[in-house]
Amino acid sequence: MAEVGRVAVSDPGSRLLPGGFWAAVAVWVERPQVANKRLCGVRLEARRSVSLPQIGHTHPGPSAGPEPERLAEAGGCGPDAGPGPVCRSLDAGPGPGPTASPDQGRQEAQGRRQPEEEPGEAAAAAATQLSGTPGQPGKAAAREGDLPAADLGALWDVFAQSLAGDNREVLAFLTRSGAESPPEGRRELDLVLRTVVPKTNLHCPLRGPRREMVLQDVLSGAVTFLPLEEDDEGNLKVKMSNVYQIQLSHSEGEWFISVLIFCPERWHSDGTVYPKPTWLGEELLARLARWCVESRQSGFKSTLSLISVMKYSAAYQALKEKYKDMVKVWPEVTDPEKFVYEDVAIAAYLLILWEEERAERGETARQSFVDLGCGNGLLVHILSSEGHPGRGIDVRRRKIWDMYGPQTRLEESAITPNDKSLFPDVDWLIGNHSDELTPWIPVIAARSSYDCRFFVLPCCFFDFIGKFQRTQSSKTQYRGYLDFITEVGSACGFHVEEDCLRIPSTKRVCLIGKSRTYPPTREASVDEERTRYINSRRGCPGSPCSGGPALLPPGAAPSSAPGPKGHGALDARPAHTAEAGAGQQGARAPAEGLWMSGFQPREKAERLRNCAALPREFVDRVVLQVAHLLLGRSPAGGSAQAWNRGGSLSLAEVAGELDRETLQRLKRECGGLQTLLRNSPQVFQVVHGRVRIRDWREERPRKKEEPEAKRRPSSDTFKTRICWFFAHHPDGCVLPADCCPFAHGPGELRPAPRTKKKKPAL
């Protein structure tokens, strides 16, 4: 046994510990990929209460606590396996250890280019799932396809017998006592079986999922990880060489966390599931210590909580490899890496979600879809290329649409929530950052057909009409908006589920409506309730009040029976069923009637409001005016020979010196004055709301290994613009001409490089 790391944790008055320790442990048990970036996630399979054997007993007694709970019904040896060795329940894989079947798995993961979860949020969310009471491990969430808890009991019984026999040293390690000082009495411990899923790597296919037992001893403040391996007969057993423990101890008024390895000389590191001991003692220990005292609470679900994490990992890596060349030919001004990998991740999620839905329904036909507000259309292109019939609709055509080919169906059209905007033969409506359409998508899905489902990924905060404004200050605006969209879905008759995607975005919570809360025969009455709910939002903050009468249910309300199967709606415009089932529904409102007056789709022409469209002479005048203000604030007592670098002013102070007409003109731009000054980085530095003249002597030297995109100015633009300081500063440029990246006079000017257009080759 060896201690590979020990760190002190500051918690005056013990306000957060030991509860914070178990919250941090919950992250490592439930979400290890938050710390170990080579992991995709874990799948919790079973949990039960157990007790360690006492010296003098040849066989362990019955497990302490209640009967083992069955977290799921699935493969494996089953509850009748008995106390003998437990058979491996996972399908054989190419890796050296037990490899999970692709159709098993549920927990959560973290992929490349995707944002790391906030440690406080991770701790809070994991503790919610793993902790039954504050500061103590509790019950794990059930997952379809998991190993029954009875199999975990059989596996533990075999291991406990060995502890009572020849493995006394392991027993002492588990109880934090000497080999000759066995624990007195019996106490209940918490045992979890989990499968650790490494990231799928096409270049290293031998890394497969590995199973572990996690033994949590609350009274002793220790959690022990017991990795499992197969023997020659295919039975699971504890891999003693890689057993390690995380301990919490309290000494002389101070808390400590330690990591201990049972057999350090035999430790085998595979670089993925089993990292090096130094990583455990340094990186992991530092994170655990930090998470222990973080008290941030998360209001969000675990990532990838509704789908198989193993399937997702495989699908994401395959799609990323297949569509990675899109980054090289991206014709839009947006960041190609962010948008390509984000849409790849969303597509992987939907493909797995739909695959599992087909299995649940016993269907083989791939789901059809319509992406409302599809933007660049890449998500539509990927889903269509993977075999799902669908199309995308957006108010504005993008350059990249021409690159996809005829098999990707994209339409330039505005969607207005009315009786013509229905899709009765479409299985799924998608709203990926759909802005003003987001709250309407559950309504459109509900009224299209009883079988229509929806997936929305909210970003900008819109109500049915106008901007959404939160009404509860106790919630963030994002959390409040998610709750609002959930409320809309519930009012429309959906069971709304929430999940957190693994995408490079701060807005990564999706809402899914897969099933209804009512039978098809109640469609008419439920639609009246929808209408009342929509009308109730008329007077909400952010929504303009209307003095007109309440709107009637739509003329195109769906029939009470489930809509016909097939994809005929994909060949028609949104207006296609205003008259469908007219005999069954009775009197109707006009087919073109709006569901709520005042809705405004986004403008077809995208307005530039980043000060880039302002006249050059206006920008130059404001830059010169602000520069003179700063130069007039030079600190007193400076040397007359020194270069005047001016003073520093807050943005409010600068705005107070500008005339009203200039301020009004800047107010119409996003960011206003601050954006204009940031757009002039040669002259100004804007930091924490304060502006000062840039002193080029303080610029850090360019590093050779620095990414080319961060080098400023690049060699291609060297001396292609006149130096502002050479032309306007009373002391001239602070740098010599040969060191300044800008031209000191027309004689130094070089022609600007010609922009090379990338060929749209896919």
Side-chain angles (χ1 to χ4, degrees):
M1 182 179 69
E3 184 179 84
V4 296
R6 179 181 177 89
V7 64
V9 181
S10 176
D11 182 28
S14 297
R15 294 179 297 105
L16 300 174
L17 295 174
F21 170 75
W22 290 109
V25 166
V27 179
W28 183 237
V29 173
E30 178 92 0
R31 304 177 170 195
Q33 73 283 351
V34 176
N36 185 353
K37 298 304 181 182
R38 295 184 180 181
L39 298 180
C40 183
V42 299
R43 176 165 58 103
L44 296 185
E45 302 209 28
R47 176 186 292 273
R48 65 176 293 151
S49 296
V50 298
S51 60
L52 292 171
Q54 292 178 287
I55 303 302
H57 292 266
T58 55
H59 298 285
S63 298
E67 290 295 319
E69 60 184 24
R70 295 173 64 89
L71 294 186
E73 299 292 334
C77 299
D80 300 325
V86 179
C87 301
R88 177 184 179 189
S89 65
L90 299 178
D91 295 338
T99 304
S101 167
D103 25 316
Q104 295 182 345
R106 281 283 191 265
Q107 237 352 31
E108 60 125 57
Q110 191 87 17
R112 177 182 174 272
R113 302 201 142 273
Q114 295 164 2
E116 177 179 342
E117 296 174 77
E118 291 289 341
E121 296 181 3
T128 300
Q129 292 188 343
L130 286 177
S131 299
T133 58
Q136 293 189 8
K139 300 184 182 296
R143 293 287 181 257
E144 178 188 355
D146 292 341
L147 190 72
D151 288 344
L152 175 59
L155 181 59
W156 173 257
D157 288 342
V158 174
F159 179 62
Q161 288 179 22
S162 71
L163 295 178
D166 299 332
N167 284 336
R168 300 284 182 90
E169 292 183 357
V170 181
L171 179 59
F173 180 75
L174 295 177
T175 57
R176 301 180 62 180
S177 61
E180 302 301 324
S181 304
E184 298 181 0
R186 302 175 61 84
R187 65 172 179 268
E188 182 178 329
L189 307 179
D190 194 67
L191 183 67
V192 176
L193 178 65
R194 69 173 186 169
T195 298
V196 183
V197 186
K199 286 184 180 178
T200 302
N201 191 330
L202 300 177
H203 305 292
C204 186
L206 296 180
R207 295 186 302 182
R210 305 293 179 89
R211 277 182 164 176
E212 287 183 341
M213 289 192 299
V214 182
L215 186 66
Q216 302 181 92
D217 187 344
V218 177
L219 293 180
S220 294
V223 54
T224 307
F225 296 82
L226 306 167
L228 302 175
E229 62 180 353
E230 283 188 339
D231 59 19
D232 296 336
E233 299 178 358
N235 300 320
L236 289 175
K237 65 177 183 179
V238 174
K239 183 179 181 179
M240 301 305 301
S241 62
N242 281 32
V243 173
Y244 70 97
Q245 186 179 86
I246 302 172
Q247 293 183 357
L248 175 69
S249 58
H250 191 260
S251 176
E252 298 180 357
E254 193 170 9
W255 292 96
F256 297 92
I257 303 178
S258 308
V259 174
L260 296 91
I261 293 180
F262 173 68
C263 193
E265 64 275 5
R266 294 172 53 198
W267 180 273
H268 169 70
S269 174
D270 62 3
T272 305
V273 177
Y274 306 126
K276 294 180 179 180
T278 53
W279 187 91
L280 293 174
E282 296 174 4
E283 294 291 333
L284 176 60
L285 198 56
R287 289 173 180 263
L288 290 172
R290 188 171 71 250
W291 297 340
C292 281
V293 293
E294 287 183 342
S295 58
R296 291 183 56 187
Q297 296 296 314
S298 172
F300 303 103
K301 299 286 185 180
S302 302
T303 61
L304 307 182
S305 63
L306 300 180
I307 64 171
S308 164
V309 66
M310 284 183 281
K311 287 184 180 180
Y312 171 85
S313 178
Y316 175 76
Q317 292 296 333
L319 292 178
K320 187 171 72 170
E321 186 72 17
K322 185 175 181 180
Y323 297 100
K324 64 182 181 181
D325 288 341
M326 293 295 303
V327 175
K328 302 176 183 177
V329 297
W330 192 256
E332 305 291 335
V333 296
T334 51
D335 180 8
E337 290 193 346
K338 177 189 184 302
F339 282 90
V340 170
Y341 292 121
E342 179 172 326
D343 285 352
V344 163
I346 297 171
Y349 185 92
L350 286 172
L351 290 174
I352 301 304
L353 181 72
W354 293 346
E355 176 186 330
E356 295 180 349
E357 183 188 58
R358 292 196 301 273
E360 293 171 3
R361 294 178 166 226
E363 300 175 352
T364 57
R366 293 180 182 260
Q367 294 90 332
S368 59
F369 71 92
V370 173
D371 187 351
L372 301 178
C374 63
N376 58 53
L378 180 57
L379 179 61
V380 178
H381 174 66
I382 296 175
L383 295 175
S384 300
S385 301
E386 298 304 312
H388 286 270
R391 59 186 170 124
I393 304 173
D394 199 276
V395 69
R396 181 169 56 85
R397 185 180 186 86
R398 307 299 202 275
K399 299 175 185 176
I400 198 172
W401 287 14
D402 297 327
M403 299 171 57
Y404 294 136
Q407 78 281 359
T408 302
R409 303 183 55 190
L410 300 169
E411 301 175 9
E412 185 180 15
S413 176
I415 295 291
T416 301
N418 58 27
D419 298 348
K420 293 185 177 183
S421 301
L422 298 176
F423 307 87
D425 294 331
V426 171
D427 296 318
W428 282 81
L429 296 185
I430 298 173
N432 175 20
H433 300 317
S434 45
D435 294 348
E436 72 278 356
L437 285 175
T438 299
W440 287 105
I441 287 177
V443 183
I444 297 173
R447 288 175 169 172
S448 289
S449 77
Y450 186 81
D451 268 357
C452 189
R453 287 87 78 190
F454 73 85
F455 168 94
V456 293
L457 184 62
C459 179
C460 300
F461 308 139
F462 283 88
D463 208 315
F464 288 115
I465 298 176
K467 290 285 188 177
F468 169 83
Q469 294 183 8
R470 62 176 176 172
T471 56
Q472 298 185 33
S473 59
S474 59
K475 298 180 181 179
T476 65
Q477 188 174 24
Y478 184 43
R479 179 69 266 174
Y481 189 65
L482 292 171
D483 292 344
F484 164 59
I485 301 299
T486 300
E487 180 183 284
V488 173
S490 299
C492 290
F494 285 99
H495 290 289
V496 182
E497 297 178 280
E498 179 179 308
D499 205 354
C500 195
L501 303 186
R502 195 160 301 160
I503 57 176
S505 172
T506 56
K507 306 292 194 305
R508 54 195 184 102
V509 176
C510 68
L511 300 171
I512 301 170
K514 290 175 58 178
S515 59
R516 304 294 177 99
T517 59
Y518 61 93
T521 52
R522 290 196 56 234
E523 180 61 46
S525 61
V526 172
D527 194 62
E528 292 179 358
E529 296 174 8
R530 291 183 199 122
T531 302
R532 285 196 292 270
Y533 175 78
I534 295 172
N535 287 330
S536 72
R537 299 292 303 179
R538 286 171 166 266
C540 292
S543 298
C545 298
S546 172
L551 298 177
L552 297 175
S559 135
S560 61
K565 291 291 180 184
H567 311 302
L570 298 177
D571 299 319
R573 289 284 177 177
H576 42 260
T577 55
E579 297 80 29
Q584 303 175 19
Q585 297 294 328
R588 296 183 176 278
E592 62 274 12
L594 288 172
W595 293 343
M596 179 179 277
S597 59
F599 176 82
Q600 292 290 334
R602 73 183 77 171
E603 299 176 0
K604 183 174 181 179
E606 187 177 23
R607 292 178 57 195
L608 289 176
R609 298 180 58 198
N610 60 353
C611 297
L614 291 174
R616 185 72 252 174
E617 59 273 12
F618 174 81
V619 174
D620 291 342
R621 177 171 60 82
V622 175
V623 168
L624 197 59
Q625 188 174 355
V626 174
H628 285 159
L629 286 173
L630 297 173
L631 291 172
R633 297 297 182 95
S634 299
S639 171
Q641 303 297 325
W643 184 79
N644 184 6
R645 59 188 302 171
S648 172
L649 292 173
S650 68
L651 289 170
E653 291 172 327
V654 173
E657 298 292 336
L658 300 179
D659 59 87
R660 184 174 182 180
E661 182 181 351
T662 298
L663 290 175
Q664 289 293 330
R665 197 167 186 177
L666 290 172
K667 210 170 186 178
R668 293 191 288 267
E669 304 294 316
C670 291
L673 175 63
Q674 180 172 230
T675 298
L676 185 144
L677 298 178
R678 286 186 182 274
N679 287 352
S680 302
Q682 182 192 165
V683 186
F684 302 113
Q685 280 185 318
V686 183
V687 181
H688 302 310
R690 298 193 68 84
V691 191
R692 70 180 183 90
I693 298 288
R694 180 179 293 276
D695 188 342
W696 281 86
R697 294 172 298 185
E698 298 175 354
E699 294 300 302
R700 58 188 176 92
R702 185 185 307 169
K703 296 180 181 179
K704 292 183 179 179
E705 65 273 12
E706 191 175 33
E708 184 177 354
K710 293 186 178 180
R711 299 177 189 173
R712 189 188 57 182
S714 70
S715 57
D716 290 339
T717 59
F718 190 75
K719 300 290 188 182
T720 58
R721 287 180 291 167
I722 291 290
C723 175
W724 184 92
F725 295 98
F726 177 83
H728 300 288
H729 194 284
D731 298 332
C733 181
V734 70
L735 297 178
D738 58 339
C739 296
C740 182
F742 302 97
H744 286 197
E748 291 188 6
L749 273 177
R750 296 172 56 236
R754 297 180 60 184
T755 303
K756 296 180 181 179
K757 294 185 179 180
K758 296 178 181 179
K759 295 181 180 180
L762 287 178

